[in-house]
Amino acid sequence: MTNESKSLKPFLSLLLSSQFPKRLLFAGLLASVLTTIAGLVVPLLTKNLVDDFSFSSLSTPLIAAIGIAFIVQTVVSGLSIYWLSVVGYKVVSSLRDRMWIKLIRLPVSYYDKQSSGEIVSRVVNDTSVVQDLISNRFPQFISGIISIIGAIIILLLMDWKMTMLMLISVPLTIVIMFPLGRQMAKISRGLQDETAAFTGHVQQTLGEIRLMKASTAEQSEETKGLEGIGRLFDFGLKEARIFALISPIMYLVVMVVIVMIIGYGGMRVSNGTMSTGSLVAFLLYLFQIIMPITSFAMFFTQLQKAKGATERIISILDLPLEPGQDGISLDIKHEPIVVENVSFAYSEEEPVLKNISFAAQPGEMIAFAGPSGGGKTTMFGLLERFYEPSAGEIRIGAVPITDLSMASWRSQIGYVSQESAMMAGTIRENLVYGLKDRKSISDEQLWEVSKMAYADQFIKEFPNGLDTEVGERGVKLSGGQRQRIAIARAFLRDPKILMMDEATASLDSQSEGIVQEALTRLMEGRTTFVIAHRLSTIVDADRIIFIEKGQVTGTGTHEELIQSHNLYREFAEQQLA
């Protein structure tokens, strides 16, 4: 098996595994073949028309046959183009379905290493390359092969000497076109990669537009963007150079062959060994041979691009799903959470947590305190199962949380962070986000949880109330308003476990007081984990776990740690004095 066939195997396997109407593909290809056959008939009919031409001897059946051939070619060609386009769009739709389903079920660790913009480019641009190959280039390739073979057979039967003269153009064209095609494939793949990188940079920059402007980074981002545009421009110039070579060279080849055919054929016509109609037919068949060959270079270029795109698509589709897609469902309300000898590292060189152990009884408030970078947020990530421990185990009661389905576990957790992430859309859409029964949730329920979170007053002040647009990432709302909507969303989910990453740290004193009251109400009767940057928010915690450099160095109440833990006492003296 050649390297070329081996490299095509993943591409073909991916296509065959996609959901698309195979009968429609067959019908489209058959229609393309019929179009080609109809096109091959036209020069023969034209030959007869020219040889027998006189106004007195015009053959009505012959003219009708030519007209029918043109009509059949036009109609069937239109059907072929439409059917194959449908197949192409079905393929790209199927691939995008599979990639989207896969991407939203990949673990968080995957997105820690990948640019979201590049991923978007793979879903949109790479699949479009495959679609173009199937809908446009592949049918042209098949019909071109049939056209060349059919034209050569007919011409050999008509006049083998003239045919051999004409076929000089075929190897000449191949010698010229295929090296250019390989070079175009290399350029196209580089262009794809550069497009993905540029898309990633644009998305990242525009997604953090406020950070960029607040940092007065316009100049540096302008430079980076212009450099990316420049690299895309360079690839475009390289493509243009190839096209600038292909078109004139092909024109030259075609014109040289036409002149040879006309010259040699003219001599044959003048000495009576060839009819004028045969010469016209030869010229028409010449175009039916040369033109497909010129399109072959583009087909192989697109094939190379599609193979490259396929490799990237397959690399995503073959990624392992986030663990816990299947598992048991369990009500965790009255169960303790046990963390036993848990260690975690993002990589072997980056140990983050080492032998962490603690237990949280139902309804308890457990706070994590300690210096920044100690591992508090990572511990939250492990509890939410964004990451899996490198060693040790987390249990709910006697059941490892890895035995639970991810949907069952996370649906019973409410998370309120400093950032209060929001999706673009309305307040209503953000309140019900992720809930399976969101369509059945009434306005009364939404107003009730908004009131419990002290969010109802500011929502009522908006002209559109619950249907107010919040903007991308909720930028139209203040930090305190976003926090209260996040708390209202948590009330609506009615979580068994509540996790808070210092939800009031970035608020002003007035907003902090309101949000703290809402949080206190939300915490009632729930097992709560809190990351504390300010000790004033956790002095009443049932237990405080002090983490330094990934290890627990102290556990107890606020009063106990004041007595037993030097660094905690320093924190307390600095913050609570």
Side-chain angles (χ1 to χ4, degrees):
M1 185 180 290
T2 65
N3 290 333
E4 183 71 16
S5 62
K6 286 180 181 178
S7 61
L8 275 174
K9 188 175 180 181
F11 171 70
L12 295 173
S13 298
L14 182 66
L15 292 187
L16 292 174
S17 66
S18 300
Q19 298 297 318
F20 66 92
K22 295 178 175 61
R23 291 183 180 178
L24 197 61
L25 174 62
F26 176 77
L29 291 175
L30 180 61
S32 181
V33 171
L34 292 176
T35 301
T36 304
I37 293 173
L40 289 171
V41 171
V42 170
L44 284 176
L45 297 174
T46 305
K47 169 183 175 296
N48 295 331
L49 180 65
V50 171
D51 286 340
D52 300 332
F53 183 78
S54 69
F55 287 107
S56 59
S57 62
L58 278 177
S59 171
T60 302
L62 182 59
I63 294 174
I66 293 174
I68 291 171
F70 277 126
I71 292 171
V72 168
Q73 187 177 21
T74 302
V75 173
V76 177
S77 175
L79 289 173
S80 172
I81 292 170
Y82 175 72
W83 288 340
L84 291 172
S85 294
V86 170
V87 171
Y89 283 114
K90 286 282 188 181
V91 169
V92 77
S93 179
S94 174
L95 289 177
R96 285 173 178 166
D97 285 348
R98 292 168 64 190
M99 290 181 74
W100 180 244
I101 292 169
K102 170 70 77 167
L103 286 169
I104 60 177
R105 286 172 172 78
L106 290 176
V108 170
S109 56
Y110 173 76
Y111 295 96
D112 292 341
K113 304 170 186 175
Q114 301 293 326
S115 162
S116 59
E118 288 194 34
I119 297 170
V120 170
S121 181
R122 301 309 177 205
V123 175
V124 177
N125 297 332
D126 286 358
T127 51
S128 294
V129 169
V130 176
Q131 182 262 326
D132 182 58
L133 178 70
I134 296 170
S135 296
N136 301 320
R137 308 299 175 185
F138 183 62
Q140 290 175 6
F141 178 73
I142 295 297
S143 61
I145 291 290
I146 296 170
S147 178
I148 291 171
I149 293 173
I152 290 174
I153 291 172
I154 293 172
L155 289 178
L156 286 171
L157 294 174
M158 286 176 59
D159 192 314
W160 69 270
K161 293 180 180 178
M162 283 279 287
T163 303
M164 297 309 294
L165 177 65
M166 187 181 67
L167 289 180
I168 294 173
S169 64
V170 175
L172 183 61
T173 305
I174 291 174
V175 167
I176 294 171
M177 295 303 296
F178 275 75
L180 292 175
R182 283 196 296 269
Q183 186 65 24
M184 179 66 83
K186 183 179 178 181
I187 294 169
S188 297
R189 294 187 70 171
L191 180 60
Q192 281 179 280
D193 291 336
E194 189 59 44
T195 300
F198 181 69
T199 303
H201 175 71
V202 169
Q203 182 165 324
Q204 180 180 5
T205 302
L206 298 183
E208 299 296 342
I209 192 71
R210 284 162 182 78
L211 171 63
M212 186 267 287
K213 289 189 172 294
S215 305
T216 60
E218 288 94 339
Q219 189 61 50
S220 63
E221 290 297 343
E222 177 184 308
T223 302
K224 291 179 185 177
L226 292 178
E227 286 174 355
I229 293 170
R231 286 190 291 271
L232 290 174
F233 176 72
D234 290 340
F235 276 109
L237 286 182
K238 291 177 182 178
E239 275 195 328
R241 291 188 195 108
I242 300 294
F243 282 122
L245 287 172
I246 289 174
S247 296
I249 289 173
M250 289 311 304
Y251 178 77
L252 175 63
V253 171
V254 171
M255 292 307 297
V256 168
V257 174
I258 287 176
V259 169
M260 290 171 59
I261 293 294
I262 291 175
Y264 180 62
M267 289 190 295
R268 296 277 302 278
V269 170
S270 65
N271 63 27
T273 58
M274 177 181 242
S275 68
T276 304
S278 296
L279 178 59
V280 171
F282 262 93
L283 291 174
L284 292 176
Y285 281 123
L286 171 64
F287 285 104
Q288 295 200 19
I289 293 173
I290 293 292
M291 297 313 294
I293 291 176
T294 62
S295 69
F296 287 174
M298 294 308 300
F299 168 75
F300 286 109
T301 297
Q302 195 70 12
L303 180 61
Q304 293 296 327
K305 291 170 68 176
K307 282 159 57 181
T310 299
E311 290 167 8
R312 289 181 281 266
I313 291 170
I314 290 175
S315 70
I316 291 176
L317 294 178
D318 285 347
L319 289 170
L321 292 174
E322 186 177 39
Q325 299 300 315
D326 299 314
I328 63 174
S329 295
L330 180 69
D331 188 339
I332 63 177
K333 184 173 184 178
H334 302 295
E335 299 289 344
I337 297 174
V338 180
V339 175
E340 186 174 340
N341 297 322
V342 163
S343 298
F344 176 76
Y346 290 105
S347 66
E348 292 183 3
E349 299 79 24
E350 297 180 83
V352 181
L353 297 175
K354 306 168 189 173
N355 296 318
I356 303 291
S357 296
F358 62 87
Q361 299 303 315
E364 277 191 333
M365 175 184 174
I366 306 295
F368 298 99
S372 296
K376 302 183 294 296
T377 301
T378 301
M379 191 66 242
F380 263 35
L382 294 175
L383 287 170
E384 284 209 85
R385 295 179 67 186
F386 290 156
Y387 307 96
E388 296 294 326
S390 306
E393 186 177 63
I394 302 174
R395 297 191 302 273
I396 182 73
V399 180
I401 62 172
T402 51
D403 289 353
L404 274 63
S405 72
M406 200 67 80
S408 173
W409 176 248
R410 288 182 180 158
S411 66
Q412 300 181 78
I413 296 176
Y415 182 56
V416 182
S417 68
Q418 295 182 59
E419 301 299 327
S420 295
M422 300 188 75
M423 304 294 286
T426 64
I427 292 175
R428 179 195 308 276
E429 289 167 345
N430 274 277
L431 288 174
V432 302
Y433 184 72
L435 296 176
K436 291 183 179 179
D437 58 346
R438 55 186 177 275
K439 292 183 179 179
S440 63
I441 296 173
S442 65
D443 282 10
E444 288 75 16
Q445 289 173 281
L446 296 180
W447 282 116
E448 181 182 353
V449 295
S450 298
K451 186 175 182 179
M452 294 167 71
Y454 300 101
D456 58 320
Q457 289 302 319
F458 78 79
I459 295 175
K460 288 177 181 177
E461 292 175 0
F462 293 130
N464 295 324
L466 291 169
D467 295 313
T468 299
E469 294 284 341
V470 301
E472 187 175 12
R473 300 185 180 182
V475 295
K476 294 183 179 180
L477 303 179
S478 70
Q481 289 171 337
R482 290 198 298 271
Q483 289 289 53
R484 281 178 272 173
I485 288 177
I487 295 167
R489 180 167 58 207
F491 270 120
L492 194 61
R493 291 174 68 91
D494 190 23
K496 311 301 190 303
I497 298 172
L498 184 62
M499 301 177 71
M500 298 189 297
D501 186 354
E502 193 58 282
T504 62
S506 58
L507 303 181
D508 59 75
S509 56
Q510 183 179 6
S511 297
E512 180 183 3
I514 297 172
V515 170
Q516 192 60 56
E517 286 185 37
L519 289 172
T520 301
R521 181 182 289 183
L522 179 61
M523 289 162 56
E524 292 175 1
R526 293 181 170 90
T527 305
T528 303
F529 295 99
V530 179
I531 290 178
H533 300 285
R534 293 185 293 185
L535 300 186
S536 60
T537 61
I538 60 165
V539 292
D540 296 324
D542 295 296
R543 196 166 341 116
I544 299 171
I545 299 172
F546 202 87
I547 300 179
E548 297 178 70
K549 297 180 180 178
Q551 294 180 302
V552 175
T553 59
T555 303
T557 63
H558 173 70
E559 289 77 12
E560 290 171 346
L561 287 177
I562 286 283
Q563 299 298 320
S564 64
H565 198 286
N566 292 333
L567 187 54
Y568 183 85
R569 184 165 56 250
E570 288 181 24
F571 277 26
E573 289 171 353
Q574 292 170 2
Q575 296 185 26
L576 304 177

